[in-house]
Amino acid sequence: MADAHAHTDHSGASHGSVGSYLTGFVISVLLTVAAFGIVMAHSFSPSGTIAAIAILAAVQVVVHLVFFLHMNTSSEQRWNVMAFAFTVLTVFVLVVGTLFIMHDTSINMMSR
């Protein structure tokens, strides 16, 4: 038995270890508690609170991608990373386009 903690599937992709999952879990819990604490402590202005939560959310997404979905820059993960990047780009275009259309329609309708 080569390594009792790291498991691989038939394609050779790593599934991670118990330590990797626990590290990701602890970091995720800490980020969630930090976001909750920021909101409950009222330590920032409303816009500062939103910015802090957005930053913590982005960090948590990266933690989930690295520790739970095992996305990295290795050559085996290249297609997964490209598919994820395309998905992010598509969602970004849809959200920004929708906001632009809603804002433009609001401006044009309110001027009458």
Side-chain angles (χ1 to χ4, degrees), residues 23-84:
T23 302
F25 176 72
V26 168
I27 294 171
S28 295
V29 168
L30 290 175
L31 289 168
T32 301
V33 168
F36 184 76
I38 287 171
V39 171
M40 293 304 291
H42 300 289
S43 56
F44 296 120
S45 66
S47 59
T49 301
I50 290 173
I53 290 174
I55 291 168
L56 289 172
V59 171
Q60 192 156 30
V61 166
V62 171
V63 167
H64 284 219
L65 289 173
V66 171
F67 288 101
F68 300 122
L69 296 178
H70 310 294
M71 291 183 75
N72 55 31
T73 57
S74 67
S75 61
E76 294 89 18
Q77 291 290 324
R78 185 169 299 153
W79 284 108
N80 289 339
V81 172
M82 287 176 59
F84 178 72

